[in-house]
Amino acid sequence: MNMIVSCLMGHGTFQAKFNPLVRAKGLDNIYVLRKTRGPEVEGIQYILLPKIARKWIFNLIITPFILARQARRVKASIIMSYHFTPHTVFVWLASIMTGIPYAISQTGLYVQRYAKQPLWGWLIRAIYRKATFLNVPGTQSKKFWTAQGVDPAKINVLHSTIDTDKFTPSDQEKDIDILFMGRFSPEKQIMLILDAVRRLLEGGHQINAAIVGYGPLEKELKNFVSEHGLEKFISFPGQQTDVLHWYRRSRIFVMASNSEGLPCALMEAMSCELSVVCPSVGNISDVLTDGETGYTMPLATDETIYQQLSRALENYDRDDAIRTNARRIIVDEHSYGFAIGKWNSVIADLRKKGL
């Protein structure tokens, strides 16, 4: 059985998706159609689009035809996408042209918002209903698509998983009290974290924070720190390739997003046994239960982030059981080993259908 995939992801996300897939039983070849080569993952064969496809308008026009031609050439049994726009549209069109079944792996939650819209929602729902199978980032997403008419038997809770043999607890000295790691974009609401740290410092807490990453709001965030004289307490190390180093230096990991699927950074932090503070948005409730695996709240506000960070700091020395529980749920349900088992079941079902 051969599979061809259309996707565009950063190296870390790509490895989180494909490392378990290439270890699954029953796939002879996995081909990935991209504009440029991605990370070296043993078992992945890249098919590169022509340079003209790097311009977005030509990419939209020609990629479905190239995908269809390549799917025929490699004798693909299934065409799969990661990310709805435009890759799920590409595989849907390629499936129409070739008659080869298609599958969808949902990455974020924005497609669920679009599926409710009157203009495009009907098309999105139709595409999802006709997929051979659908991978979603959590139980809330499965409930959503079931309500939209997708057969629940076709929906697998199978999202990004992490290497829990790599992301492990450490006895390294913790010289960072509060860590954020991610993109500096509006939905992450990092300003709430900065303001909470400011309030904690004003309340007498002797703490520091590292805001690791990059993005369009970087200047605004740094200006806030400068205006409040917090440069000695809040650092911006920039984008980092060795993220494990930062987890192992840190005590508490925090997110304040208003929308998430199930972020790898959160699972990595939990696997490293950091105390975690994060709102229960999207599918995060699959791993985070307040007082059991971390500290959570329905939505992030300036007050809820401040209160939960206060709890995490005050209880840190008594929270060994919570941190152990956090790692256990990631190992049991969101590790490479778990994902390999899920993929084995998916592929076995496809083979039973004669693909």
Side-chain angles (χ1 to χ4, degrees):
M1 179 187 293
N2 295 335
M3 173 185 287
I4 189 168
V5 183
S6 179
C7 66
L8 176 63
M9 295 180 282
H11 282 207
T13 304
F14 188 97
Q15 290 170 330
K17 304 290 188 186
F18 283 93
N19 275 326
L21 178 57
V22 298
R23 302 179 195 178
K25 299 176 182 177
L27 284 177
D28 298 306
N29 296 286
I30 303 171
Y31 302 91
V32 176
L33 183 70
R34 284 168 65 101
K35 296 177 183 178
T36 58
R37 290 186 65 84
E40 293 300 324
V41 176
E42 186 177 355
I44 295 294
Q45 301 179 57
Y46 288 104
I47 301 172
L48 300 186
L49 290 162
K51 289 183 179 179
I52 192 173
R54 296 179 187 178
K55 296 185 181 296
W56 70 271
I57 186 64
F58 294 112
N59 180 47
L60 295 179
I61 294 171
I62 68 174
T63 298
F65 296 97
I66 295 174
L67 180 60
R69 179 167 60 85
Q70 293 294 339
R72 289 196 187 99
R73 182 184 69 82
V74 303
K75 298 180 180 178
S77 301
I78 192 93
I79 310 173
M80 188 170 71
S81 71
Y82 283 99
H83 207 64
F84 184 81
T85 306
H87 299 282
T88 295
V89 178
F90 288 166
V91 303
W92 171 62
L93 292 172
S95 177
I96 291 173
M97 287 185 269
T98 62
I100 300 171
Y102 68 93
I104 301 168
S105 286
Q106 180 184 342
T107 52
L109 297 185
Y110 78 95
V111 68
Q112 295 179 199
R113 297 195 295 271
Y114 292 163
K116 298 177 183 178
Q117 295 179 356
L119 183 59
W120 293 109
W122 66 271
L123 178 60
I124 294 171
R125 294 191 296 271
I127 292 173
Y128 270 67
R129 288 168 186 161
K130 293 180 180 179
T132 299
F133 67 86
L134 169 62
N135 295 335
V136 298
T139 54
Q140 295 304 314
S141 292
K142 181 171 184 176
K143 291 177 182 177
F144 175 86
W145 291 112
T146 299
Q148 303 305 313
V150 179
D151 181 357
K154 299 196 303 185
I155 305 175
N156 311 298
V157 177
L158 177 55
H159 188 42
S160 295
T161 50
I162 66 165
D163 185 351
T164 52
D165 291 330
K166 173 183 177 181
F167 292 97
T168 58
S170 169
D171 293 331
Q172 182 174 334
E173 181 182 354
K174 311 298 182 185
D175 61 338
I176 298 171
D177 296 298
I178 296 172
L179 172 70
F180 168 85
M181 188 176 298
R183 180 167 168 76
F184 299 170
S185 51
E187 73 278 2
K188 301 295 185 181
Q189 301 193 120
I190 304 169
M191 196 66 76
L192 297 181
I193 298 171
L194 299 184
D195 191 59
V197 173
R198 176 191 63 81
R199 292 176 64 184
L200 289 166
L201 287 164
E202 289 178 352
H205 286 275
Q206 301 298 311
I207 58 171
N208 64 74
I211 310 300
V212 178
Y214 72 103
L217 298 184
E218 183 171 351
K219 183 178 180 181
E220 179 181 341
L221 298 174
K222 289 182 176 179
N223 285 343
F224 176 90
V225 170
S226 177
E227 289 168 3
H228 290 85
L230 302 175
E231 294 93 338
K232 291 199 311 183
F233 307 100
I234 301 176
S235 63
F236 291 88
Q239 187 178 15
Q240 301 292 314
T241 54
D242 184 7
V243 296
L244 180 60
H245 167 75
W246 293 89
Y247 293 129
R248 288 186 167 173
R249 291 176 57 187
S250 303
R251 300 168 66 205
I252 297 168
F253 178 83
V254 61
M255 298 184 74
S257 306
N258 58 26
S259 178
E260 290 284 355
L262 186 54
C264 285
L266 175 66
M267 294 189 288
E268 290 166 355
M270 293 174 70
S271 187
C272 290
E273 293 192 1
L274 276 72
S275 293
V276 296
V277 172
C278 185
S280 187
V281 296
N283 295 286
I284 288 173
S285 60
D286 284 2
V287 299
L288 198 56
T289 302
D290 190 60
E292 294 182 17
T293 55
Y295 295 94
T296 186
M297 71 293 291
L299 292 173
T301 66
D302 54 356
E303 186 61 26
T304 58
I305 290 294
Y306 168 71
Q307 291 292 343
Q308 296 294 60
L309 278 176
S310 297
R311 285 179 66 200
L313 285 165
E314 291 166 4
N315 295 327
Y316 184 82
D317 292 335
R318 301 186 296 273
D319 276 354
D320 287 350
I322 289 178
R323 290 190 288 272
T324 300
N325 290 340
R327 174 169 168 80
R328 184 181 298 117
I329 195 170
I330 300 303
V331 171
D332 290 348
E333 301 180 15
H334 301 278
S335 63
Y336 281 180
F338 171 83
I340 292 167
K342 291 282 283 190
W343 272 119
N344 285 341
S345 297
V346 171
I347 295 166
D349 287 342
L350 293 177
R351 286 190 170 278
K352 288 178 182 178
K353 295 175 182 177
L355 297 182

